[in-house]
Amino acid sequence: VKNNRNGAISRLIIRDAIPVGQDPVKVLLKTPAELATVASVDTEVKIADGAVTRWGKDKPNNREEGLVEWVLDNIQSGEEKKVELAWSVEVPQGYKWSYTP
């Protein structure tokens, strides 16, 4: 994220989501790795100066729904802050995928 404005941005909240697997499909959060061990939506993980990540706070079950937030504070004009979200999907060998639109 880069601030191309002339002034600072006091706070920016970015929301994203990872897929949610149903047994036997497992979705594992890889980045930010520290967030994978956080169970509470009230816990924040510092990823850089003025930047934290957390499970979404608008509903108590956002962790189960895969909703992630980054909170970036005081982004100066011209400053860049990096946010990353990566996951992997694991399924048993021979698993038959199906798609229902």
Side-chain angles (χ1 to χ4, degrees), residues 17-80:
I18 63 171
V20 177
Q22 295 179 346
D23 196 36
V25 177
K26 293 181 185 176
V27 177
L28 305 171
L29 181 62
K30 298 293 187 183
T31 306
E34 300 87 354
L35 190 59
T37 62
V38 172
S40 170
V41 295
D42 296 320
T43 302
E44 296 181 338
V45 175
K46 182 178 178 179
I47 55 173
D49 286 339
V52 297
T53 187
R54 64 188 181 201
W55 294 108
K57 292 189 85 136
D58 58 332
K59 293 187 276 180
N61 63 338
N62 279 339
R63 186 183 195 290
E64 291 80 22
E65 293 182 10
L67 302 176
V68 178
E69 293 180 343
W70 289 268
V71 181
L72 310 177
D73 288 325
N74 198 25
I75 307 170
Q76 298 301 310
S77 179
E79 183 180 7
E80 290 185 48

